[in-house]
Amino acid sequence: MWKETREREFGNLRPNLFSSRIFKSRISSIQLSNSKEIVSSHRGSVNSLQVDLTEGRYLLAGASDATVAVYDVQRATDHDGRGRISKHKSLFLINKQHEHGHKYAISSAIWYPIDTGLFVTGSYDHHINVWDTNTTQVVMNFKMPGKVYRNAMSSIARSHMLIAAGTEDVQVRLCDIASGAFAHTLSGHRDGVMSLEWSTSSEWVLVTGGCDGAIRFWDIRRAGCFRVLDQSHSQLGRRPPLLACAATNKQKSSSHQSSAKARPPQRKSTNGNTVKSHGVARVPSQMKSAKQRSHPGMISSHDRATAHYGVVTGLKVTEDGMYLLSAGSDSRLRLWDIESGCNTLVNFETARLQSSKAIQMAVSQDSALSFVPCMTTVKVFDIWSGQTKCAFRGHYENVNCCWYNAQDQELYTGGNDRQILVWSPPKSISTEDDESKNGEAATSDQDNWSD
Amino acid sequence: MSKKIPEFGPSTSRKRPRNEEPEPQSENGVVNSHSLSLEEDFAFSDTLMALRMMRAQFPHIQKVSVPPFVLQSQLYSSIKNRTEVDREIESLKREKVVRIFKLNTGQDDHAIMFIDDYISQIERVVKRMEENSKTDLVVFEWFKTHVVQSKLDTSIGHQELWSFLSLGGKVKEEHISQLISAGLLIRQLIDQNMYWFSIPNIGSVLKGLSQGRKELMSLLSRRKYKEMLMAALEVKRLRFSPLDMRFHLRDLIGSGQLKTIETPSGLIVRVAKD
């Protein structure tokens, strides 16, 4: 570390490289924090965690007993253990007694992406509430047709303020905060939608994962989804550079001859269209007559491709917007290349993933490591090789959600055991400074029970 | 190219360490017929080697003629890097060397079978049907030439199937039912218009597979420390499964339910705790 600082001083090491090396070394030493503790005020399993995107300071947690709490992760509320462990209690707590609070479990709680003045919670009581943080009052309420599984707002949105809500119902609804009404609905899934995420590269693209096992990409400005991920369409690893693309395309298209009508005419598949058209010349006329009546946006609803053999329980788009990590109730994690829509066939060694509830995964900033809750542990996977780097064991019951705070390289996990645990790189011991600050230098030598 | 593989025992009838032989020699006579040219001898991969080896070690079952298949979890138990296994299987599938079938025993079980074995199994089934009934069996020819060669996925839709078979001749509903009764296609439960490809005559073997798995897991779970020496485990015979212990061990180790630990007295197999 000091050698690297010296290198940076001399100019041998670029600043970006220096900082990424420090991040990497800190991430690789993450363990259960011995200096920070979050005192959970929930009486039900913690379902959703999010740190605000603007300051990286406030952690919002939603739990099954309809409580929502916000914790300050940078400033402790009090200290314990002779000043070495900082305890963070909730800044405020909203529970069922609140006049407009939720009645049933809260499945997801997210901050308004622009600032921490608002947050949005979705619950199994079919409501989505928008709360004002400072007054803890509900400012807007949306009623959904079914249990709300997840809601999301785009963090890069500049022209819309839409909350995307995935419910038990087959349609994904977009709620507009500005007008207080529903903007539109996205149909195409054949069962409820358990997970959804906005794309990190475009403010108009939404990714949803359904209970039918399909993952769909929607452009909210158009009708219908523009891509359905199919687990049998795979590419071997990263996409090859452009020139080599043509060769792999021919191979890919000769091996799958599914109806091209259901897939939008992308540049790549037109290459293969000429190859297969002579073989199936009789097909297009039959299919066209059957499909003539449907709206171009609804053609995608006929596409039955599945991304998982079960429910898609978790989705996470990497920060560079290129890859999508998806978890399914078939206990598989898949990494998809968003641009080509192919499965990259990275095998993550998961023995089991919980299948009844949605899980929230996290990816490190440089997209090299992913944190996935697997039953009672949180496993850290190397994204490209699929190897398990380590497993964090600390919760007594299943872990539901995790959030990686890139500023401090800390991981917060919440589980069915009502606890929120903090995992961080070990803090360097500077006990002398702390103790003299607190005026407890003398007590370190004293026992509590001896005279 | 030598990767560490779990040794299944000191006896010579078990698999030999992979780094001894770089070329597929005649432990199995079938292999010789595959390596036709000198190029092919050098263009092998760990996965292909493991596939051939496991295929050769497939247990012989009386009364049922099932061609040898390898479960995907068995490959994971031999080769450390699972991503590489997945990708190599994908490229072998595209080169039409092997075919993948989704099995209905549990989640995400896939069986890998060499295409030659599959075709010979189809022919065996056709021959048996010819002896029994006099109905027109031309649909199997169409299936072999058009569908198997072109559709490499594990499932197929009704429309697509119809269009592929029509390349051979006029298709009628009875043809599809013939294919289903022969065991080559299975209707999907979720979606009436989709079919899974399947291996004929495999029903009893699959039942044996799931029962054998349960039996082996319960055998180990009943023990005090949920573990047993590999050497002692190998000589046991499973009562409910026609497949041998080695098959089940590889499958369960590869799927993560059992794990092997090196000890001074050999390998120990233990039930994996999450």
Side-chain angles (χ1 to χ4, degrees):
Chain A
M1 159 96 170
W2 297 115
K3 180 171 181 293
E4 280 162 352
T5 315
R6 179 101 56 84
E7 298 265 316
R8 190 195 169 293
E9 271 182 45
F10 291 157
N12 293 338
L13 202 56
R14 283 196 307 281
N16 285 348
L17 196 53
F18 176 64
S19 59
S20 68
R21 276 195 200 172
I22 303 241
F23 284 149
K24 268 199 191 95
S25 69
R26 278 175 65 89
I27 285 185
S28 52
S29 60
I30 283 186
Q31 58 191 41
L32 190 55
S33 176
N34 53 0
S35 55
K36 202 185 266 199
E37 189 185 317
I38 292 184
V39 180
S40 162
S41 29
H42 302 285
R43 299 252 193 86
S45 39
V46 180
N47 287 336
S48 154
L49 286 176
Q50 194 191 32
V51 173
D52 74 297
L53 304 163
T54 43
E55 280 180 89
R57 184 170 169 182
Y58 298 106
L59 175 68
L60 175 69
S64 290
D65 60 340
T67 54
V68 184
V70 172
Y71 304 88
D72 183 339
V73 292
Q74 284 175 9
R75 265 245 177 107
T77 49
D78 45 33
H79 291 264
D80 201 5
R82 283 189 291 240
R84 285 195 212 122
I85 301 181
S86 56
K87 283 197 185 287
H88 300 253
K89 291 212 177 83
S90 59
L91 298 176
F92 62 84
L93 179 72
I94 299 172
N95 53 17
K96 279 189 202 168
Q97 272 74 43
H98 194 277
E99 45 172 346
H100 294 296
H102 288 289
K103 302 283 175 300
Y104 297 142
I106 291 183
S107 54
S108 84
I110 56 174
W111 286 108
Y112 181 51
I114 312 291
D115 60 41
T116 52
L118 288 178
F119 61 90
V120 182
T121 56
S123 150
Y124 279 8
D125 66 357
H126 304 210
H127 282 272
I128 291 185
N129 286 347
V130 181
W131 303 78
D132 178 329
T133 323
N134 295 315
T135 59
T136 59
Q137 294 299 320
V138 177
V139 293
M140 209 171 283
N141 183 308
F142 298 98
K143 175 114 175 48
M144 296 284 145
K147 288 194 243 187
V148 180
Y149 284 136
R150 193 152 287 272
N151 47 12
M153 287 188 76
S154 175
S155 51
I156 46 176
R158 292 288 164 260
S159 44
H160 68 79
M161 279 195 260
L162 296 171
I163 305 174
T167 63
E168 286 182 300
D169 189 40
V170 298
Q171 293 179 325
V172 177
R173 282 180 164 68
L174 296 173
C175 316
D176 190 8
I177 299 188
S179 61
F182 293 108
H184 51 273
T185 60
L186 306 170
S187 337
H189 276 287
R190 284 175 293 137
D191 201 351
V193 176
M194 208 175 226
S195 50
L196 66 151
E197 287 271 319
W198 287 90
S199 158
T200 47
S201 54
S202 163
E203 57 171 333
W204 307 108
V205 175
L206 179 66
V207 188
T208 57
C211 298
D212 52 354
I215 296 181
R216 285 169 183 257
F217 281 74
W218 312 84
D219 183 330
I220 60 175
R221 297 168 291 186
R222 282 195 267 158
C225 70
F226 64 90
R227 190 178 292 133
V228 182
L229 292 182
D230 188 346
Q231 57 185 314
S232 50
H233 294 162
S234 41
Q235 66 186 33
L236 308 176
R238 288 188 167 100
R239 246 176 312 134
L242 215 50
L243 287 177
C245 247
T248 48
N249 279 339
K250 280 267 164 40
Q251 214 184 19
K252 198 159 49 109
S253 55
S254 61
S255 61
H256 69 267
Q257 306 208 19
S258 50
S259 58
K261 312 303 166 300
R263 216 164 304 287
Q266 293 172 11
R267 199 168 32 90
K268 288 180 189 165
S269 61
T270 49
N271 244 343
N273 260 333
T274 50
V275 172
K276 51 187 158 123
S277 60
H278 67 274
V280 288
R282 263 178 278 164
V283 178
S285 53
Q286 286 172 1
M287 307 209 70
K288 264 196 198 138
S289 52
K291 291 194 160 79
Q292 247 163 19
R293 302 273 179 79
S294 44
H295 186 276
M298 294 309 289
I299 289 181
S300 65
S301 62
H302 296 292
D303 191 339
R304 302 270 169 110
T306 55
H308 280 273
Y309 286 125
V311 175
V312 180
T313 46
L315 285 179
K316 183 77 189 165
V317 185
T318 58
E319 292 212 11
D320 49 9
M322 289 180 54
Y323 302 105
L324 172 70
L325 188 64
S326 69
S329 63
D330 56 349
S331 300
R332 292 276 170 270
L333 279 170
R334 294 195 209 273
L335 186 69
W336 306 85
D337 182 337
I338 292 185
E339 184 58 38
S340 63
C342 293
N343 183 356
T344 53
L345 289 182
V346 180
N347 189 309
F348 295 93
E349 310 157 21
T350 41
R352 275 181 72 196
L353 289 175
Q354 71 175 11
S355 50
S356 52
K357 254 180 167 173
I359 59 175
Q360 195 182 350
M361 302 182 282
V363 175
S364 71
Q365 214 173 9
D366 52 354
S367 310
L369 291 177
S370 63
F371 302 95
V372 180
C374 299
M375 306 309 282
T376 54
T377 64
V378 176
K379 291 206 177 138
V380 185
F381 292 105
D382 179 294
I383 277 202
W384 278 108
S385 67
Q387 282 173 344
T388 315
K389 289 286 179 190
C390 59
F392 296 150
R393 274 171 230 276
H395 280 277
Y396 295 123
E397 289 180 39
N398 286 357
V399 183
N400 292 328
C401 48
C402 63
W403 186 270
Y404 176 67
N405 187 348
Q407 263 185 2
D408 305 322
Q409 292 89 49
E410 281 179 353
L411 182 73
Y412 308 108
T413 58
N416 284 352
D417 59 352
R418 313 171 187 177
Q419 298 299 318
I420 301 177
L421 293 180
V422 182
W423 309 79
S424 63
K427 211 161 153 195
S428 52
I429 314 279
S430 54
T431 45
E432 286 80 356
D433 294 323
D434 285 338
E435 289 184 15
S436 59
K437 244 191 275 183
N438 293 339
E440 290 175 1
T443 56
S444 62
D445 284 329
Q446 277 187 3
D447 293 328
N448 282 340
W449 55 80
S450 67
D451 297 339
Chain B
M1 271 292 240
S2 57
K3 296 203 170 131
K4 181 179 176 298
I5 45 166
E7 290 284 358
F8 280 107
S11 55
T12 49
S13 64
R14 302 300 165 188
K15 356 182 246 192
R16 69 230 182 292
R18 188 152 313 117
N19 47 16
E20 277 179 12
E21 263 179 43
E23 282 173 40
Q25 287 301 324
S26 57
E27 194 205 46
N28 32 15
V30 191
V31 171
N32 280 334
S33 62
H34 286 302
S35 53
L36 300 169
S37 68
L38 200 57
E39 288 172 22
E40 277 188 36
D41 273 350
F42 290 127
F44 61 90
S45 62
D46 268 355
T47 318
L48 190 57
M49 288 266 325
L51 270 175
R52 286 182 182 162
M53 197 172 60
M54 291 187 194
R55 182 200 172 283
Q57 290 171 343
F58 191 77
H60 176 67
I61 309 172
Q62 298 99 336
K63 293 183 253 172
V64 179
S65 72
V66 162
F69 62 89
V70 178
L71 292 175
Q72 203 165 5
S73 44
Q74 292 177 329
L75 281 181
Y76 292 151
S77 74
S78 305
I79 304 177
K80 278 292 175 202
N81 190 347
R82 294 175 174 215
T83 308
E84 195 192 311
V85 172
D86 276 355
R87 289 181 181 161
E88 283 179 14
I89 293 181
E90 179 68 24
S91 31
L92 286 173
K93 190 178 86 167
R94 287 187 194 166
E95 291 165 21
K96 299 195 193 165
V97 175
V98 298
R99 218 186 149 85
I100 309 201
F101 300 94
K102 184 171 180 321
L103 303 176
N104 59 0
T105 53
Q107 292 170 336
D108 216 8
D109 267 343
H110 290 269
I112 305 168
M113 191 184 274
F114 283 98
I115 283 212
D116 307 329
D117 292 334
Y118 183 53
I119 303 278
S120 52
Q121 179 72 357
I122 298 183
E123 280 160 11
R124 219 174 299 159
V125 164
V126 172
K127 211 181 310 166
R128 184 142 14 102
M129 283 185 75
E130 260 174 19
E131 292 160 16
N132 289 344
S133 68
K134 301 288 180 296
T135 50
D136 181 23
L137 296 169
V138 67
V139 67
F140 293 100
E141 283 306 315
W142 300 343
F143 188 78
K144 261 193 300 199
T145 46
H146 298 288
V147 184
V148 172
Q149 297 303 322
S150 340
K151 182 77 178 171
L152 300 175
D153 293 332
T154 53
S155 63
I156 189 170
H158 183 80
Q159 285 285 14
E160 248 188 293
L161 179 65
W162 200 274
S163 64
F164 279 127
L165 291 175
S166 319
L167 296 174
K170 184 95 179 60
V171 186
K172 296 195 280 284
E173 278 299 325
E174 298 89 60
H175 290 146
I176 310 257
S177 12
Q178 269 185 326
L179 285 174
I180 296 182
S181 62
L184 290 171
L185 290 176
I186 298 182
R187 247 185 246 275
Q188 283 190 19
L189 290 176
I190 317 169
D191 190 349
Q192 290 302 315
N193 283 338
M194 298 284 289
Y195 302 98
W196 294 119
F197 283 113
S198 120
I199 308 171
N201 287 344
I202 202 170
S204 55
V205 179
L206 289 185
K207 178 160 180 254
L209 177 67
S210 40
Q211 279 184 331
R213 273 179 186 166
K214 256 192 293 198
E215 192 190 340
L216 182 52
M217 289 302 290
S218 70
L219 183 85
L220 283 174
S221 313
R222 269 183 280 133
R223 296 187 58 94
K224 188 172 179 190
Y225 294 108
K226 304 206 185 342
E227 63 187 14
M228 199 157 158
L229 272 178
M230 174 82 82
L233 201 50
E234 277 171 339
V235 296
K236 280 197 189 285
R237 290 212 48 170
L238 290 169
R239 290 198 326 208
F240 299 114
S241 169
L243 301 160
D244 62 353
M245 177 63 80
R246 183 172 52 182
F247 189 93
H248 286 291
L249 269 178
R250 278 189 181 142
D251 168 44
L252 287 172
I253 290 175
S255 62
Q257 294 182 8
L258 294 179
K259 58 179 198 252
T260 53
I261 303 163
E262 285 274 0
T263 63
S265 45
L267 269 185
I268 281 197
V269 179
R270 188 186 286 175
V271 175
K273 220 173 21 146
D274 211 15

